[in-house]
Amino acid sequence: MKPELDTRTKIVLAAMDLFWTKGYNSTSIADILSRTQLNSGSLYHAFPGKQDVLIAVLEAYRDGLYPNLLDPAWQGVEDPIDRIFALLDRYRWLIVETECTYGCPIGSLALELHEADPVVRNLLAVNFTGWTRAIEACLDAAGDRLPVGLDKAALAQFVLTTMEGGVMQARTHLDVTYFDRGVTMLRDHFDMLMARAARRTELI
Amino acid sequence: MKPELDTRTKIVLAAMDLFWTKGYNSTSIADILSRTQLNSGSLYHAFPGKQDVLIAVLEAYRDGLYPNLLDPAWQGVEDPIDRIFALLDRYRWLIVETECTYGCPIGSLALELHEADPVVRNLLAVNFTGWTRAIEACLDAAGDRLPVGLDKAALAQFVLTTMEGGVMQARTHLDVTYFDRGVTMLRDHFDMLMARAARRTELI
DNA sequence: ATTCTGCTAGAACGATCATTCAAATGCCTC
DNA sequence: GAGGCATTTGAATGATCGTTCTAGCAGAAT
């Protein structure tokens, strides 16, 4: 933990990691304090309570979508459809790197928090929407390579579904091939869509 | 809670419901005791500890797959591909019935339990496998309506992915259409696969 | 009737939880 | 250097957690 960071930032960074690896309920304030080398007074000076730390974490994920996830994943990848699978490949890398214990932090929190506060639930939704909107932009950029009239928002959500489902099964089975097979299915789906679009444009 | 049930069954039934609605960590032993009207001595006579209750719950889900889920969902539905979408429709019904707070109990537990005991993790995997195997049997029964050489296990896992991803997003957005759009995408996928299979068989 | 056995009642335990607070400290301003 | 404000310290609090334990109970076997 860099010492030049202010208290609030230190707490958010530590909480991002702890909520991700242990979950929200299983992470105690004491965990955050020992990780950051802070005392409870400092934390409760920066945040009214534990849930407000969670809110700050979700805001950080929201604001970090491009700088922390998409920009690195898309570096050197220009083709919009390649970008979609480059992003999925980044998740694959995270799964392998964590020996199949990786879980999407947003997805894990979304399923862990059963009776979530409206503010928390909305931030989870905003995080999902940010992700799918980025995919949707790729689909738009693909132009006529995809069929006209395709519900791009629905397909973008389906990409998220593929990622979340693959991560869930890979972690449960401790086997990354469960993720891979999902991506292969999605790849087939895109290939069939692109073949359909190509057939249509030929007709004109 | 039926009084004629034995202690162990009463606990498992109550725990199934509580783990499902509140999650494992957020369900206390006291919750189970007040729900079952039992005392802690009885619970700890039937189970060594809380995790063993979880194990019994997961075993109950495993054993209840057909009688509690698939058989009712497939009553009156004979076509194997219709059965797949009839099952998804049952999940849709659950989502609507719970006002979009429904979460697949297995999926929720799989993402909540980050450092799960090997026995627990394996039971989660077994539950997933039971589900996908049932779907795979439908795909097998579909015969040549699907392309030859299709990876049916992968497609079955993809059906599970569609369900879990749809449930996750529907609950997070409190909007069942997120589930519906996932099913529509999967329907498209099946239609394209069946069209491909039909084209191939014509050639012969 | 008595002993044994399986089960239950419910108080109690120590650990851990999120949170509070009075006192101490650092830091900027004047 | 003095005063004032923001921040930190770290012990204390009460609630709740999973779990334990002893005493008691019911029913079957002897």
Side-chain angles (χ1 to χ4, degrees):
Chain A
M1 206 57 54
K2 317 286 160 45
E4 67 265 25
L5 298 173
D6 68 356
T7 300
R8 198 185 157 87
T9 308
K10 281 199 276 190
I11 291 169
V12 170
L13 287 175
M16 283 175 89
D17 189 61
L18 287 163
F19 291 167
W20 174 56
T21 52
K22 306 184 58 173
Y24 175 71
N25 284 311
S26 298
T27 297
S28 66
I29 297 288
D31 288 332
I32 298 174
L33 297 179
S34 77
R35 175 75 67 99
T36 54
Q37 303 274 52
L38 292 168
N39 294 96
S40 61
S42 301
L43 188 144
Y44 281 93
H45 182 78
F47 296 96
K50 189 185 179 185
Q51 181 176 277
D52 302 273
V53 178
L54 172 62
I55 289 170
V57 163
L58 291 174
E59 288 170 343
Y61 276 119
R62 177 198 60 193
D63 300 336
L65 176 63
Y66 276 86
N68 299 336
L69 181 65
L70 298 181
D71 292 343
W74 289 350
Q75 197 166 25
V77 183
E78 294 304 324
D79 183 83
I81 292 183
D82 286 351
R83 284 192 162 191
I84 292 174
F85 290 93
L87 178 58
L88 291 174
D89 204 57
R90 184 157 185 88
Y91 280 95
R92 196 202 123 91
W93 181 84
L94 286 165
I95 293 169
V96 172
E97 201 69 8
T98 58
E99 290 171 333
C100 294
T101 62
Y102 175 79
C104 165
I106 309 303
S108 297
L109 287 170
L111 287 204
E112 180 187 351
L113 304 168
H114 290 238
E115 288 144 343
D117 182 272
V119 176
V120 172
R121 208 216 81 254
N122 186 58
L123 272 168
L124 291 167
V126 163
N127 269 281
F128 277 157
T129 304
W131 202 97
T132 55
R133 280 246 219 286
I135 299 295
E136 209 180 328
C138 291
L139 298 174
D140 284 334
D144 60 5
R145 292 162 64 191
L146 293 169
V148 290
L150 173 73
D151 187 343
K152 295 198 176 94
L155 184 55
Q157 287 158 27
F158 201 54
V159 175
L160 176 59
T161 286
T162 302
M163 185 277 282
E164 294 288 1
V167 163
M168 181 189 291
Q169 291 180 63
R171 185 161 74 157
T172 304
H173 290 99
L174 289 181
D175 183 350
V176 73
T177 65
Y178 282 83
F179 182 83
D180 294 336
R181 282 190 284 273
V183 174
T184 301
M185 290 290 109
L186 188 69
R187 178 95 255 180
D188 284 353
H189 192 77
F190 269 83
D191 288 343
M192 290 190 287
L193 287 177
M194 287 160 78
R196 185 204 289 175
R199 248 177 283 129
R200 283 292 181 88
T201 44
E202 271 174 29
L203 292 179
I204 302 171
Chain B
M1 204 59 50
K2 318 284 163 42
E4 67 266 22
L5 299 173
D6 67 358
T7 300
R8 196 185 159 87
T9 307
K10 279 200 275 189
I11 291 169
V12 169
L13 287 176
M16 283 176 89
D17 189 61
L18 287 164
F19 292 167
W20 173 56
T21 52
K22 305 185 58 173
Y24 176 70
N25 283 310
S26 297
T27 297
S28 66
I29 298 288
D31 287 333
I32 299 174
L33 297 178
S34 79
R35 175 75 67 99
T36 53
Q37 302 274 52
L38 293 169
N39 295 96
S40 60
S42 301
L43 187 144
Y44 281 93
H45 183 78
F47 295 96
K50 188 185 179 186
Q51 181 175 278
D52 302 273
V53 177
L54 173 62
I55 289 170
V57 163
L58 291 174
E59 287 170 344
Y61 276 121
R62 176 198 60 192
D63 301 336
L65 175 63
Y66 276 86
N68 298 336
L69 180 66
L70 298 182
D71 292 343
W74 290 349
Q75 198 165 23
V77 183
E78 295 303 324
D79 182 82
I81 293 182
D82 286 350
R83 284 193 162 191
I84 292 173
F85 290 93
L87 178 59
L88 291 175
D89 205 56
R90 184 158 187 89
Y91 281 96
R92 196 202 124 90
W93 181 83
L94 287 165
I95 293 169
V96 172
E97 202 69 9
T98 59
E99 290 171 332
C100 293
T101 63
Y102 175 79
C104 164
I106 310 303
S108 297
L109 287 169
L111 288 203
E112 180 187 352
L113 304 168
H114 290 237
E115 289 143 343
D117 182 273
V119 176
V120 172
R121 207 216 80 254
N122 185 59
L123 271 168
L124 291 167
V126 163
N127 270 280
F128 277 157
T129 304
W131 202 97
T132 56
R133 280 247 218 286
I135 298 295
E136 207 179 330
C138 291
L139 298 175
D140 284 334
D144 59 4
R145 291 163 64 193
L146 292 169
V148 288
L150 173 73
D151 187 343
K152 295 198 178 92
L155 184 55
Q157 287 157 28
F158 201 55
V159 175
L160 175 59
T161 286
T162 302
M163 184 276 281
E164 294 288 0
V167 163
M168 181 190 290
Q169 290 181 61
R171 184 161 75 157
T172 303
H173 289 98
L174 290 181
D175 182 351
V176 74
T177 65
Y178 282 83
F179 181 84
D180 293 336
R181 281 189 286 273
V183 174
T184 302
M185 290 289 108
L186 188 69
R187 178 94 255 177
D188 284 354
H189 191 79
F190 270 83
D191 287 344
M192 291 191 286
L193 286 176
M194 287 159 78
R196 187 205 288 177
R199 248 177 283 129
R200 283 292 182 88
T201 44
E202 273 175 27
L203 293 177
I204 303 170

